[in-house]
Amino acid sequence: MIITLKDGSQKEYEQSMSVYDIAKDISEGLARAACAGEIDGEVVDLRTVVDKDCTLSILTFNDEAGKAAYRHTASHVLAEAVKRLYPNAKLAIGPSIDSGFYYDFDCESFSREALDKIEAEMKKIIKEGHSITRFTLPREEAIKYMEEREEPYKVELIQDLPEGSEISFYDQGGFVDLCAGPHLMSTKGIKAFKLTSSSMAYWRGDSNKARLQRIYGTAYNKKEDLKAHLERMEDAKRRDHNRLGREMELFTTVDVVGQGLPLFTPKGTKMIMKLQRWIEDLEDNEWGYVRTRTPLMAKSDLYKISGHWDHYKDGMFVLGDEEVDKEVFALRPMTCPFQYYVYKNSQKSYRDLPYRMGETSTLFRAEDSGEMHGLTRVRQFTISEGHLVIRPDQAEEELKGCLDLAYYVLDTLGLAEDVTFRLSKWDPNNKAKYLGDDEYWESTQNALREVLREKNVPFTEADGEAAFYGPKIDIQAKNVYGKEDTMITIQLDCAIAENFDMTYIDQNGNKVRPYIIHRTSLGCYERTLAWLIEKYAGKFPTWLCPEQVRVLPISEKYTDYAEKVLKALKANGIDATVDNRSEKIGFKIREARMDKLPYMLVVGQQEEADNTVSVRSRFAGDEGVKPLQQFIDDICKEIRTKEIRKEMPAE
């Protein structure tokens, strides 16, 4: 057989050989580094036997699939360590993830001290260097095998597989786990790892099922890489919006109010108000939108017309019981069906289109409690929602316009470099979830694909991520821990106008159906605030800061002048305060720095006499003495242009 390698070279063998043995034949070093193989584009285990001509790549930790195999092996070492220390623990699942791996267990919760003990046990297992072997059993034997080991979650997983399946297992020195692989050849292959945290998780992500304990970890093939990763994670903890936003008193949560229902303090409210006013003015004054205001709830009849009742009811807060109540209402999960009736309020002609409606919409979604996190996943949120009713011939231009607006917003906020783009498509294997036929989905997906290509936007494609009525361009970003969320979305809908009998009069005087673009320009304000907190570690651009300037009188003698400065600042729309406490000026400056303020104005005898201020900033430290009016002019320009000044290096 002839094996074509990654570099195009070929190796010829007379007999079948495993991927690992081929790697060893190429080089001993490659075999030591090998984590998995790839045969004709398919990732396989190192133990896989090659018995015919093919293309073969030996995957190492430098390859994503190799890294996943490496970390998946580490998750099995974790599982063995837990079973050694907690024999009654039941095994659930333990996959690799982007940042490392995790394993779920049905047992008591794990403290940091417990994680340290488990780490020590993992080191023993790795040092023992057990060979990892693979074997298979027929489905019924596999069920019996795991029943005898009293592993009910593994039994359930096997029972979900088709009858007649061959089930694979991996054995590392007597510890056996159900697994499809791939894995390293030995536990000794794990060079550096760390258990990072533990949390509660639900079996199969269902809050109605068993509560499990999840241990997170990460693994690298070099100790220095692990150290660098852990340092990044420490920085992530410092930036975590759920911690930092509370410390900065931007928001809080209260059990009696409810999970996923954040309370915004004056500071956090001020930031969201600034974002909201900016977006509304931008859309209305520069991008041709009209503003609407619609109810927070509606009868179920509305959602039945739109299709949300059939396709989205489980994600809605329903008020009432259809079997008992004459009228059943639901809090709105989106604004589109409401805005359709604003459009229908008067007959439109082709000259009236595009008709761009924008609304700052408060929405409600019944997220699972296990999914809640800070401001990124909540049950009530506010969004810069918009719907463009357009003629079919306007689709390309308007889609590009929505993309341009979204990019402008991201660029202004300093976030454009942090996003990726995804074309979210339907799942052709689950057509019952969607409106329209194959032709409809191919045409709408192609329309979005062409817009992305013409704008030279790099993007990925994902099946099953579309809305039930149409495909989407999703603008994605990761939080400090690497979890990805959708920040902005642009959706093309050529179907739902039929449900609402939406029309316009064309050039020939005929009533025809419009297309609809569902889009956000900023997205969810709560999620965006979380993103900004983590991006800037709380040191926001001046225009966004809830407190932009703090005036610091050197002593009580200069309080009157400090108040005069404050009055002049506020008269120019600058968010400012005075620290008139009887504290030393050094203490006041240090506290203002801790509060991450952009500017401090120190005032004393000379400043009062000359009508000046001594300026200190996050950006340049001591900026010297300036006339008060010059400082006002400078900061007003910075705020007006939304300038993002470069931060002074940390001391």
Side-chain angles (χ1 to χ4, degrees), residues 249-491:
E249 297 185 2
L250 300 178
F251 74 94
T252 187
T253 51
V254 181
D255 287 343
V256 295
V257 173
Q259 193 178 14
L261 299 170
L263 303 174
F264 288 93
T265 63
K267 290 180 180 179
T269 303
K270 174 81 77 172
M271 291 188 69
I272 287 181
M273 285 172 61
K274 289 183 178 189
L275 288 167
Q276 180 179 328
R277 289 168 178 166
W278 170 51
I279 291 296
E280 289 178 353
D281 288 345
L282 183 67
E283 290 180 346
D284 298 355
N285 299 334
E286 299 182 37
W287 291 81
Y289 283 74
V290 295
R291 198 133 298 273
T292 68
R293 183 177 173 86
T294 56
L296 299 181
M297 67 174 75
K299 294 193 298 184
S300 60
D301 306 50
L302 178 71
Y303 305 116
K304 289 174 182 176
I305 295 170
S306 68
H308 289 103
W309 202 253
D310 291 332
H311 294 276
Y312 204 81
K313 185 181 176 183
D314 290 344
M316 298 166 65
F317 288 104
V318 177
L319 311 174
D321 186 336
E322 285 188 287
E323 296 183 3
V324 177
D325 299 312
K326 186 175 181 181
E327 290 185 330
V328 173
F329 287 78
L331 299 177
R332 64 179 184 186
M334 61 283 296
T335 311
C336 44
F338 298 86
Q339 286 193 327
Y340 298 156
Y341 284 101
V342 173
Y343 172 83
K344 282 168 59 70
N345 188 53
S346 62
Q347 179 65 61
K348 307 294 189 298
S349 83
Y350 70 95
R351 293 187 183 90
D352 297 316
L353 305 188
Y355 190 75
R356 307 182 187 99
M357 294 174 285
E359 182 165 337
T360 303
S361 305
T362 298
L363 306 177
F364 306 86
R365 296 185 183 173
E367 301 280 5
D368 289 337
S369 58
E371 295 293 317
M372 299 295 113
H373 177 67
L375 300 179
T376 58
R377 186 72 66 169
V378 291
R379 288 174 170 151
Q380 176 183 310
F381 57 94
T382 302
I383 195 168
S384 61
E385 195 163 16
H387 296 89
L388 289 70
V389 185
I390 61 173
R391 303 191 309 262
D393 63 285
Q394 296 171 325
E396 181 180 347
E397 181 180 355
E398 290 300 315
L399 286 167
K400 288 179 180 177
C402 291
L403 202 55
D404 288 342
L405 173 57
Y407 187 84
Y408 174 80
V409 169
L410 292 170
D411 192 47
T412 302
L413 292 171
L415 302 171
E417 63 185 21
D418 302 325
V419 300
T420 57
F421 293 79
R422 182 181 74 192
L423 174 56
S424 296
K425 305 184 295 184
W426 77 324
D427 180 359
N429 297 315
N430 194 5
K431 296 179 182 180
K433 286 177 56 179
Y434 306 94
L435 300 179
D437 56 17
D438 291 32
E439 183 180 351
Y440 169 81
W441 283 93
E442 284 304 310
S443 64
T444 51
Q445 288 170 177
N446 280 335
L448 293 185
R449 189 180 290 114
E450 286 306 308
V451 165
L452 288 165
R453 286 173 177 167
E454 288 190 28
K455 299 296 289 184
N456 293 317
V457 175
F459 64 96
T460 59
E461 300 191 10
D463 290 337
E465 295 294 334
F468 69 85
Y469 46 76
K472 304 184 292 178
I473 296 172
D474 284 328
I475 302 179
Q476 306 287 109
K478 292 181 179 180
N479 68 11
V480 288
Y481 297 110
K483 183 182 182 301
E484 188 174 74
D485 285 303
T486 299
M487 308 307 296
I488 295 173
T489 186
I490 301 166
Q491 308 169 10

Side-chain angles (χ1 to χ4, degrees), residues 71-262:
R71 289 171 169 171
H72 191 38
T73 303
S75 79
H76 276 223
V77 173
L78 163 61
E80 181 179 359
V82 168
K83 289 292 283 186
R84 284 186 180 186
L85 296 173
Y86 305 88
N88 294 326
K90 305 302 178 187
L91 303 175
I93 58 171
S96 65
I97 54 178
D98 285 348
S99 59
F101 59 89
Y102 70 79
Y103 211 112
D104 290 344
F105 304 92
D106 189 345
C107 66
E108 63 192 75
S109 60
F110 298 102
S111 64
R112 181 65 248 181
E113 291 75 17
L115 296 186
D116 292 341
K117 290 179 181 177
I118 295 168
E119 275 188 10
E121 194 65 33
M122 289 176 70
K123 289 176 181 176
K124 289 181 185 177
I125 294 167
I126 291 168
K127 189 174 182 180
E128 288 165 8
H130 298 294
S131 294
I132 301 174
T133 57
R134 180 180 183 274
F135 67 92
T136 63
L137 292 172
R139 179 176 177 273
E140 294 308 313
E141 289 184 31
I143 291 172
K144 184 178 179 182
Y145 184 79
M146 277 300 171
E147 285 177 339
E148 291 172 350
R149 288 175 170 258
E150 298 183 350
E151 295 291 355
Y153 299 101
K154 302 295 184 181
V155 170
E156 182 178 329
L157 291 172
I158 299 170
Q159 288 173 335
D160 286 347
L161 297 173
E163 291 187 17
S165 299
E166 271 300 298
I167 311 300
S168 64
F169 296 85
Y170 282 82
D171 183 333
Q172 53 192 47
F175 172 77
V176 178
D177 201 354
L178 168 72
C179 189
H183 281 284
L184 303 184
M185 298 298 290
S186 162
T187 60
K188 192 172 284 188
I190 305 298
K191 303 300 181 185
F193 74 93
K194 181 69 179 176
L195 300 184
T196 53
S197 64
S198 63
S199 67
M200 187 275 290
Y202 291 110
W203 172 233
R204 294 191 156 181
D206 187 339
S207 59
N208 296 313
K209 293 185 177 179
R211 291 165 63 99
L212 306 174
Q213 300 301 317
R214 176 172 295 177
I215 296 178
Y216 286 98
T218 192
Y220 283 82
N221 64 339
K222 296 178 182 177
K223 290 183 179 179
E224 55 267 32
D225 290 343
L226 174 63
K227 181 181 177 183
H229 170 80
L230 295 176
E231 288 173 353
R232 288 193 299 272
M233 288 300 98
E234 284 303 309
D235 182 58
K237 289 178 184 177
R238 289 191 290 271
R239 290 173 177 267
D240 184 345
H241 84 275
N242 206 18
R243 167 184 164 274
L244 187 54
R246 296 171 195 271
E247 287 180 0
M248 295 182 69
E249 297 185 2
L250 300 178
F251 74 94
T252 187
T253 51
V254 181
D255 287 343
V256 295
V257 173
Q259 193 178 14
L261 299 170

Side-chain angles (χ1 to χ4, degrees), residues 487-595:
M487 308 307 296
I488 295 173
T489 186
I490 301 166
Q491 308 169 10
L492 179 59
D493 175 1
C494 307
I496 217 162
E498 180 80 27
N499 296 28
F500 287 88
D501 192 26
M502 296 170 67
T503 63
Y504 67 93
I505 307 298
D506 70 7
Q507 295 94 322
N508 300 316
N510 298 318
K511 284 188 175 183
V512 293
R513 301 290 183 207
Y515 288 177
I516 299 164
I517 298 174
H518 309 240
R519 51 97 275 179
T520 55
S521 52
L522 176 80
C524 168
Y525 285 95
E526 289 82 355
R527 187 172 287 179
T528 299
L529 180 56
W531 191 10
L532 289 165
I533 292 169
E534 295 183 352
K535 166 75 175 182
Y536 293 106
K539 295 180 179 180
F540 307 109
T542 300
W543 74 275
L544 266 177
C545 288
E547 184 182 359
Q548 295 162 332
V549 179
R550 188 175 296 172
V551 186
L552 309 177
I554 290 175
S555 70
E556 293 179 3
K557 291 189 293 182
Y558 308 108
T559 297
D560 288 345
Y561 180 60
E563 291 293 341
K564 177 185 173 183
V565 171
L566 177 67
K567 185 177 180 181
L569 294 170
K570 288 195 168 185
N572 284 273
I574 301 164
D575 289 312
T577 61
V578 170
D579 185 347
N580 54 19
R581 295 174 298 168
S582 299
E583 299 284 357
K584 291 182 178 179
I585 190 64
F587 177 84
K588 292 181 180 181
I589 290 171
R590 286 193 298 274
E591 195 165 86
R593 283 177 179 164
M594 292 293 293
D595 289 343

Side-chain angles (χ1 to χ4, degrees), residues 609-624:
D610 298 339
N611 199 34
T612 59
V613 289
S614 181
V615 182
R616 291 174 176 266
S617 75
R618 290 197 322 245
F619 318 108
D622 187 349
E623 296 193 14

